Amino acid sequence: QVQLVESGGGLVQAGGSLRLSCAASGRSFSSLTMGWFRQAPGKEREFVSVSYYDGRTNYADSVLGRFTISRDYVKNTVFLQMNSLKPEDTAVYSCAANQWRLTNHPRDYDYWGQGTQVTVSS
């Protein structure tokens, strides 16, 4: 089993920045694909970014160029640096993990954190 704990959410003005963190435990961190997803009120959960177990990364078109995903293999933590935030980025952001898969789809993720609220004011 994998346990995930997110932190770093909050309230920020449009154009501002936040950095989310997700600490993982329970499995070899290097075996994990680590994804970020978000869900806004009344909308479906959507893919944001992913750090695949093989070291590659991917981003949703809506955040490309503004968000950066990275991971610390010593602290077993994945980060999402969010810059130039927009009101439409407002959502609950969740960290998710799976082992040995290259995927962006929520249904392919087995482990989920509790979520952290990001609110961007206009």
Side-chain angles (χ1 to χ4, degrees):
Q1 301 299 306
V2 175
Q3 293 78 46
L4 304 172
V5 180
E6 304 103 326
S7 62
L11 175 64
V12 65
Q13 292 186 356
S17 298
L18 287 172
R19 189 175 79 154
L20 306 183
S21 299
C22 175
S25 61
R27 292 288 187 272
S28 173
F29 192 54
S30 62
S31 75
L32 297 177
T33 283
M34 303 291 298
W36 286 99
F37 299 84
R38 67 187 183 187
Q39 187 167 28
K43 300 182 67 176
E44 293 185 0
R45 178 172 290 158
E46 65 175 345
F47 165 75
V48 177
S49 186
V50 60
S51 173
Y52 300 114
Y53 77 90
D54 67 357
R56 297 184 297 115
T57 61
N58 201 6
Y59 299 89
D61 289 343
S62 60
V63 307
L64 188 65
R66 299 188 297 122
F67 292 9
T68 303
I69 193 169
S70 62
R71 61 164 84 190
D72 185 330
Y73 289 91
V74 175
K75 296 185 179 295
N76 292 350
T77 300
V78 64
F79 304 96
L80 185 68
Q81 179 67 47
M82 305 186 294
N83 298 326
S84 301
L85 283 162
K86 306 173 181 179
E88 50 263 45
D89 294 318
T90 295
V92 174
Y93 285 70
S94 297
C95 179
N98 67 73
Q99 284 191 295
W100 308 116
R101 299 197 66 173
L102 304 173
T103 177
N104 300 344
H105 298 288
R107 66 178 179 270
D108 296 324
Y109 285 76
D110 300 308
Y111 310 103
W112 292 82
Q114 82 285 358
T116 185
Q117 177 70 46
V118 172
T119 302
V120 184
S121 62
S122 60

